[in-house]
Amino acid sequence: SSGINAEYGTIPNDAATIPTSQLTSYEPVFKQDAPAETAIQVENTNLMDAETDETQPTTTSKFWSFQFYQQYFNVNDQMVLERLMYACIPTPNSSYLDKLRPIPDFYGPLWVCITLIFSTAISGNMADFFATLGQDKEWEYDFKKVTIAATVIFSYVTVIPALLSGYLWWRKSQAEIKLADTLSLYGYCLTLFIPISLLLCINYEWIRWVLILGLVVASGGVLIQTVWKVLEQEPKQLSLIITSVLAALHVALVLLFKMYFFAATKSHTTPVTPVNPT
């Protein structure tokens, strides 16, 4: 006979006599493996999403929630050490924000400020102690230096960045810098203050002023160069005014750092007792 017509040809009649149970007894094997492969693909996708979340800050949380601030502490030791190193040496034709992005952190700046508070207070008291050696004066530890150092340092790294970011936001500036960037920038720029504060214990004024000059050039250079590069899209006159004000505030901080905690001490001279002629 002519057979049964199919989509791709003609099937013989004897093939049509095969029992239906035999035709339906074959089940696709690939269906059993499909869930496992799908699970592997889903797992790999989740891992890639997790890695992406680690390298990009989350901004969907509210600023008063714990998750909002947790993203700024999600850094490793290598990132913090690299940022500490580059905060001490100005790099020509580059911005320090390149080292802070895409994740500016508060972990490094927080420890920089805390360490600087205690190093400044301890070194300032040590400088006073060395200055009183050989004098008829009893030395006492000045605990007020810890409080004053904490007030000045935390005010500097919070108030000024907030004012800068608020002013740029008020002007609807196109400058690509956020409050988190400025807070992290100002915190890391105080890194060089820590070793300098220890060296200022040396009781020679000319050495202290050389160290202070180097501190102004190095730390101030990183700060001003970064801000100037950020304000490239602003009018030149406005950029010059902003950077000049920030530079003056930074110099004022360094001078306060020197004049209060490491003030020059007058040398003590023992009065010469006149010898009565015999």
Side-chain angles (χ1 to χ4, degrees):
S1 58
S2 58
I4 302 175
N5 291 329
E7 182 179 0
Y8 296 101
T10 302
I11 302 176
N13 288 329
D14 56 351
T17 60
I18 298 175
T20 306
S21 60
Q22 295 182 9
L23 292 175
T24 58
S25 61
Y26 298 96
E27 297 180 358
V29 179
F30 66 87
K31 289 185 178 181
Q32 299 178 359
D33 298 335
E37 295 177 357
T38 304
I40 294 174
Q41 294 177 357
V42 172
E43 183 178 1
N44 292 336
T45 303
N46 293 334
L47 290 176
M48 293 175 63
D49 294 339
E51 293 177 356
T52 303
D53 293 339
E54 291 181 357
T55 57
Q56 295 182 355
T58 304
T59 57
T60 57
S61 302
K62 301 298 183 180
F63 71 92
W64 59 78
S65 64
F66 177 77
Q67 289 78 9
F68 179 83
Y69 297 97
Q70 186 178 11
Q71 61 183 325
Y72 297 112
F73 291 86
N74 187 22
V75 290
N76 53 43
D77 295 339
Q78 183 179 358
M79 294 174 61
V80 174
L81 291 176
E82 182 179 357
R83 292 173 179 182
L84 291 173
M85 179 182 65
Y86 281 99
C88 299
I89 304 174
T91 305
N93 300 325
S94 66
S95 174
Y96 186 72
L97 291 180
D98 297 336
K99 305 299 178 182
L100 298 178
R101 291 170 177 170
I103 312 176
D105 71 287
F106 297 157
Y107 179 82
L110 178 61
W111 280 109
V112 168
C113 293
I114 293 175
T115 305
L116 180 58
I117 290 170
F118 288 99
S119 67
T120 301
I122 294 174
S123 299
N125 281 279
M126 290 179 62
D128 293 341
F129 172 75
F130 293 146
T132 57
L133 290 177
Q135 298 185 11
D136 297 333
K137 181 181 178 180
E138 184 179 358
W139 175 80
E140 295 181 358
Y141 190 90
D142 188 1
F143 289 95
K144 293 188 300 182
K145 290 186 175 182
V146 178
T147 306
I148 295 175
T151 303
V152 172
I153 291 171
F154 278 116
S155 298
Y156 180 76
V157 299
T158 55
V159 175
I160 298 179
L163 292 176
L164 175 61
S165 300
Y167 178 74
L168 294 177
W169 172 82
W170 175 75
R171 279 185 48 83
K172 297 181 180 180
S173 173
Q174 300 298 324
E176 298 180 355
I177 187 170
K178 299 180 180 179
L179 178 59
D181 297 327
T182 55
L183 290 172
S184 184
L185 170 65
Y186 267 79
Y188 275 113
C189 283
L190 297 182
T191 302
L192 195 59
F193 280 65
I194 298 175
I196 295 297
S197 66
L198 301 177
L199 295 175
L200 288 176
C201 292
I202 302 174
N203 196 19
Y204 291 96
E205 278 302 300
W206 68 271
I207 295 180
R208 290 178 177 177
W209 282 111
V210 170
L211 294 173
I212 289 297
L213 180 60
L215 180 61
V216 170
V217 173
S219 63
V222 174
L223 176 63
I224 300 306
Q225 183 176 344
T226 301
V227 175
W228 179 261
K229 195 171 183 62
V230 168
L231 299 176
E232 285 181 343
Q233 298 179 356
E234 296 294 324
K236 293 297 182 180
Q237 185 177 3
L238 178 62
S239 301
L240 182 60
I241 294 175
I242 294 176
T243 52
S244 299
V245 172
L246 296 180
L249 291 173
H250 192 75
V251 173
L253 174 69
V254 176
L255 292 179
L256 177 64
F257 183 75
K258 165 66 176 69
M259 302 305 296
Y260 180 80
F261 296 100
F262 305 95
T265 55
K266 296 180 180 180
S267 59
H268 178 77
T269 58
T270 304
V272 178
T273 304
V275 180
N276 296 326
T278 57

